Each structure stands twice: as structure tokens, then as C-alpha cells.
Amino acid sequence: VTATFTLEGLSKFGPEQEKSLFGALSTMLYLDTNMLEIITATPLPPKRRLLSTGYLVEVKMSSMSTYDAGYLARSVHSLNEEQEREQLLGHMQKWGMKEVSGVSVTVTADPEVEERYCTD
């Protein structure tokens, strides 16, 4: 399962921010941080930067089975719900990512997993 996080307000993304993101995700999703891996972290393109700077961070999340992948995909997908988003933001700030001002996420999983678990 791959999740792309749009992190608004970040001026850089390095080891400190990775630690904060992984900490927040492991807290929210009950994942071990060694199941998480950064694929890419790129600054938001100018078109996407309406009000602030930010980063697009692609995270690979390992899972043990199709069922796990489905559960994970569904859990990550639900992070876009307003309450969950606020909570994730709070966790990221608690983990030290103070400058993040907004977050959203897009999930990519195997088509079979996506179809079964990520459609609202």
C-alpha cells in the first residue's frame, strides 16, 4: 500500500520530519515504524502552492497479507475525514513537525485491494 501525503507548510523534509510523520502514522494506524518507508519527498509544485509551501511525501507501507493491505488501505483512506485529519495533524505536531499546517492523503493499493476497501 502506498500513501501520498500532502504536507502543507513544510519548508523542508528531512530525517526530523520523517521521524515525525512515521511517529504520527504509527500512533494513528498502530503500525510499527519499520513497516514504513519513504519513497519520495518532493516540494509541492508552484501550482499546488496556493497559500504556503509544502511537500508531497510518498510512503510505502508494508503489510503481511491482502487482508492486512485492505485494512491498511481503508485506514489510511479514512485519514482524509476531517476529524482524522485534525488528529493526524495534531500527532505530527506533537512528534515535532511544528510547521505543518495541513495534511491530506491519497492511497494507492493493488486494484483488487483498492476496489474492495477504498471506495466510499
Side-chain angles (χ1 to χ4, degrees):
V1 176
T2 304
T4 304
F5 293 88
T6 303
L7 303 175
E8 294 162 33
L10 284 189
S11 54
K12 68 179 179 135
F13 190 89
E16 289 294 305
Q17 289 77 16
E18 179 179 322
K19 194 174 148 199
S20 300
L21 179 60
F22 283 8
L25 289 174
S26 67
T27 305
M28 292 280 296
L29 302 169
Y30 308 104
L31 281 178
D32 196 311
T33 53
N34 66 14
M35 294 174 80
L36 302 171
E37 180 193 342
I38 299 282
I39 301 171
T40 58
T42 50
L44 285 178
K47 276 194 299 243
R48 295 280 302 276
R49 269 188 256 158
L50 298 174
L51 300 168
S52 69
T53 55
Y55 269 78
L56 277 179
V57 182
E58 207 177 349
V59 180
K60 183 175 194 267
M61 303 178 173
S62 308
S63 56
M64 304 306 153
S65 65
T66 305
Y67 172 78
D68 284 351
Y71 178 77
L72 188 56
R74 182 81 208 129
S75 302
V76 176
H77 184 65
S78 72
L79 292 178
N80 276 318
E81 292 163 19
E82 195 174 342
Q83 199 178 343
E84 299 280 311
R85 222 177 19 217
E86 289 300 311
Q87 212 178 340
L88 180 60
L89 200 54
H91 281 302
M92 285 195 280
Q93 290 169 341
K94 255 186 244 158
W95 277 88
M97 209 190 282
K98 300 276 184 252
E99 57 180 329
V100 71
S101 58
V103 61
S104 60
V105 61
T106 312
V107 186
T108 315
D110 296 337
E112 167 199 351
V113 170
E114 241 176 273
E115 195 178 311
R116 279 178 57 193
Y117 298 95
C118 294
T119 44
D120 291 323

